[in-house]
Amino acid sequence: MRRALPWLHRPTVRVAPVDDSDRWARLLAGSAQEQADQPLRICQLCVETLGVSGAGIAMVTTTGNRGVVCATNDISARVEDLQLTLGEGPCIDAVESGAPVVVPDLDSPVGLATDRWPAFMEGASAAGVKAVFAFPLRVGAISVGVMDLYRDTVGDLSSSQLRGALLAADAAALAVLHLDLDGDEAFADSVDSRSTYQLQVHQATGMVMGQLNVTIEQAFLLLRARAFAEGRALADLATDVVARRVRFTPEDS
Amino acid sequence: MTHANPPHDPDSSGRSREQALADTFVMLADTLVDDYDVVELLDHLVDACVDVLGATAAGLLLDDQKGNLAVVASSSHEAQLLEVFVLQSNEGPCLECVRDGVAVTSANIDRDAERWPLFVPAALAAGFHAVVAVPLRLRNQRIGALSLFSNTPELPSVDDRRVAQALADVATIGILQQRAVHRSGLLAEQLQHALHSRVAIEQAKGLLAERNDVDMEAAFAALRAHARNNNLKLTEVALAVVRGELDPRTLPTRGTTG
């Protein structure tokens, strides 16, 4: 039997220099009093940098919180509101499937948007929406909502725009998680897309969940909070948790 | 890792290489026509690289579309250590394979220290002396790489490398579910799905390891056994465990704390 030891260290690698991710991290880093505005700032950055007409974030969490968190304009707010009210649309599908839903041309017969979301399509068309890109706010089993980008013209996201949108969705997931659980805002800005796929971080999250009898969402924030408090890299702390060198006790929660 | 549904008794010593190869592709074809779990499929593929092609270790990395490669399947600890190093050094065969979309080989890693000054010492320290990385590609898009490592300084035969590329192609088809990919969006849907599935499985492994006091391998085996016994997808089982819909203590366990 071959060994399948815990995932150690950082199983991710940069394919290409990514100026965007550093730029995103810089743009998103803010002072503590600005943290409550973080979701809106993320949406505004999407509009400024990704060639979209508007952006909005809706919260749909396991704690039962559900609603529009923010939107950059009235049409974006309408797009979010319509979908939550009707219970159909790209953002609902993105939450349910856990994967992005990309509709570069709502009127295209190829996408069958009218068949999939007849009521949403009516409202979206009336509002002048031509393309919708919905990104679930998700980390594995953690799911807190969705970020919608829309365009008033037909057109797909370029690969660099897609990269920006995925990074924005990572940041938004963390921001909304903090809103939902009233997390410590001091470290809510520590966006690190590379840690997302350091698999020992996710194993450690599961272990903390078991040690404290908390939800996966709470465990995720507690692990990050401790790494921040101890001035350690998240992956290093996670490695210690997985190796059972570090345990979380109720005092940590 | 063991196959959830071995096509025959895994008596590799009694099977010819051709039989083993045929069995592998039959199993993969069976999987692809069914409703399958993409992460489980990729685990099968890296296992086949070891079982059928004789690799010491194998790993599969995907482009996460944010500028990183992420490991979604690995046959062993050693390969993981290497992937790690690829990350830290921004260099190595997997990286070049994904970047250029062609197979990258080193028949004697020891001699490639100038080419990959950081990768080579790490590979040697992990006991690897040869590597071949083949691309996962769909037309002009490169979505990842399958890498095979050997503990001796020799490459797989030309035939075995062709098989490795075929396995990588199966992985590509499996990830994209044979759907026509003509825009970035659909590819994003499939890739992000696979990446998050792996994350959910790791979260569930962690919870299981803690609750049942077992190591990660035993936790993974328990998830797989439950999925197989109940005809569920691995990712579904993982999500049910993490969301509290399935009590970890009811899962089959064997083994002890590692």
Side-chain angles (χ1 to χ4, degrees):
Chain A
M1 175 60 86
R2 274 167 284 118
R3 283 181 297 152
L5 295 180
W7 299 82
L8 298 174
H9 309 298
R10 299 165 184 78
T12 64
V13 58
R14 295 215 162 181
V15 182
V18 185
D19 299 334
D20 317 30
S21 66
D22 297 335
R23 178 156 173 251
W24 275 97
R26 231 177 20 252
L27 288 169
L28 293 169
S31 58
Q33 62 266 31
E34 290 174 334
Q35 292 295 344
D37 300 330
Q38 192 81 326
L40 183 58
R41 293 183 61 211
I42 291 166
C43 287
Q44 288 166 341
L45 282 172
C46 287
V47 173
E48 287 166 23
T49 60
L50 304 182
V52 296
S53 313
I57 290 174
M59 186 190 279
V60 183
T61 72
T62 50
T63 58
N65 281 329
R66 192 180 170 96
V68 179
V69 173
C70 63
T72 57
N73 63 25
D74 289 346
I75 296 176
S76 259
R78 177 91 182 119
V79 167
E80 296 301 317
D81 200 41
L82 261 178
Q83 299 185 75
L84 288 181
T85 308
L86 297 168
E88 69 171 44
C91 101
I92 303 292
D93 285 9
V95 169
E96 283 176 2
S97 73
V101 174
V102 175
V103 193
D105 180 0
L106 276 176
D107 293 326
S108 163
V110 176
L112 298 173
T114 307
D115 293 345
R116 284 162 82 183
W117 316 297
F120 166 73
M121 279 296 297
E122 208 172 302
S125 296
V129 175
K130 299 287 188 195
V132 176
F133 313 96
F135 297 88
L137 308 183
R138 178 180 184 200
V139 185
I142 297 170
S143 175
V144 290
V146 62
M147 181 181 82
D148 278 316
L149 311 178
Y150 89 89
R151 278 183 174 152
D152 56 17
T153 53
V154 167
D156 207 347
L157 295 173
S158 70
S159 62
S160 71
Q161 288 168 341
L162 175 67
R163 185 164 66 210
L166 288 168
L167 290 166
D170 281 350
L174 194 55
V176 172
L177 200 50
H178 277 275
L179 279 182
D180 185 40
L181 297 179
D182 199 17
D184 180 356
E185 293 181 341
F187 63 97
D189 63 343
S190 42
V191 175
D192 178 6
S193 74
R194 301 176 73 162
S195 76
T196 307
Y197 297 117
Q198 292 170 16
L199 297 180
Q200 82 276 22
V201 170
H202 307 300
Q203 293 176 351
T205 305
M207 290 185 73
V208 170
M209 187 184 169
Q211 288 167 6
L212 297 178
N213 267 321
V214 296
T215 64
I216 189 82
E217 290 83 4
Q218 288 166 325
F220 183 70
L221 287 189
L222 288 166
L223 189 68
R224 295 181 59 93
R226 179 151 170 179
F228 181 81
E230 295 180 354
R232 302 183 66 186
L234 182 58
D236 291 342
L237 175 62
T239 301
D240 277 352
V241 171
V242 171
R244 301 180 197 258
R245 288 189 292 266
V246 168
R247 279 191 73 82
F248 278 62
T249 58
E251 296 86 72
D252 293 310
S253 59
Chain B
M1 296 176 192
T2 53
H3 291 162
N5 295 298
H8 297 293
D9 289 336
D11 179 15
S12 52
S13 60
R15 288 188 298 173
S16 72
R17 182 182 167 285
E18 285 68 28
Q19 279 175 316
L21 201 53
D23 287 347
T24 298
F25 277 98
V26 167
M27 182 271 290
L28 292 171
D30 278 353
T31 304
L32 284 171
V33 295
D34 231 327
D35 192 18
Y36 60 94
D37 187 285
V38 67
V39 172
E40 194 159 16
L41 173 75
L42 300 179
D43 278 341
H44 282 310
L45 284 167
V46 294
D47 285 347
C49 292
V50 175
D51 297 339
V52 181
L53 299 183
T56 307
L60 202 153
L61 294 88
L62 288 185
D63 179 358
D64 75 356
Q65 303 180 303
K66 299 178 225 172
N68 302 316
L69 284 180
V71 176
V72 287
S74 170
S75 70
S76 85
H77 178 58
E78 285 80 10
Q80 292 163 21
L81 277 183
L82 271 187
E83 313 295 8
V84 164
F85 224 86
V86 175
L87 154 77
Q88 289 166 337
S89 54
N90 269 0
E91 65 170 39
C94 303
L95 192 67
E96 290 183 11
C97 177
V98 176
R99 188 189 63 204
D100 301 336
V102 295
V104 173
T105 60
S106 173
N108 191 341
I109 286 174
D110 206 9
R111 294 187 187 153
D112 277 325
E114 279 188 29
R115 184 180 183 188
W116 301 312
L118 297 165
F119 166 79
V120 167
L124 295 174
F128 298 135
H129 293 277
V131 60
V132 51
V134 294
L136 272 65
R137 59 178 179 222
L138 188 79
R139 292 187 272 279
N140 60 348
Q141 302 198 71
R142 277 99 61 174
I143 64 169
L146 174 66
S147 49
L148 288 72
F149 298 94
S150 169
N151 57 8
T152 57
E154 56 189 339
L155 289 178
S157 68
V158 173
D159 278 351
D160 279 356
R161 276 184 272 165
R162 286 176 59 218
V163 173
Q165 183 63 60
L167 290 171
D169 293 341
V170 171
T172 305
I173 293 164
I175 292 163
L176 302 176
Q177 298 178 325
Q178 295 175 293
R179 290 163 68 175
V181 175
H182 40 74
R183 50 190 172 84
S184 63
L186 196 45
L187 181 61
E189 292 168 21
Q190 309 296 354
L191 281 179
Q192 296 303 318
H193 171 72
L195 293 165
H196 278 292
S197 289
R198 174 48 81 182
V199 170
I201 289 165
E202 299 306 311
Q203 290 168 337
K205 279 165 63 180
L207 178 60
L208 236 74
E210 178 63 30
R211 285 274 160 81
N212 295 352
D213 198 22
V214 295
D215 63 21
M216 291 298 165
E217 184 186 356
F220 187 61
L223 286 173
R224 261 194 171 177
H226 185 85
R228 188 176 60 236
N229 295 344
N230 296 280
N231 202 21
L232 296 167
K233 290 189 200 171
L234 187 58
T235 304
E236 289 170 357
V237 174
L239 289 173
V241 166
V242 174
R243 289 173 182 166
E245 297 152 10
L246 178 62
D247 187 346
R249 282 162 299 202
T250 65
L251 265 57
T253 51
R254 49 160 188 82
T256 53
T257 303

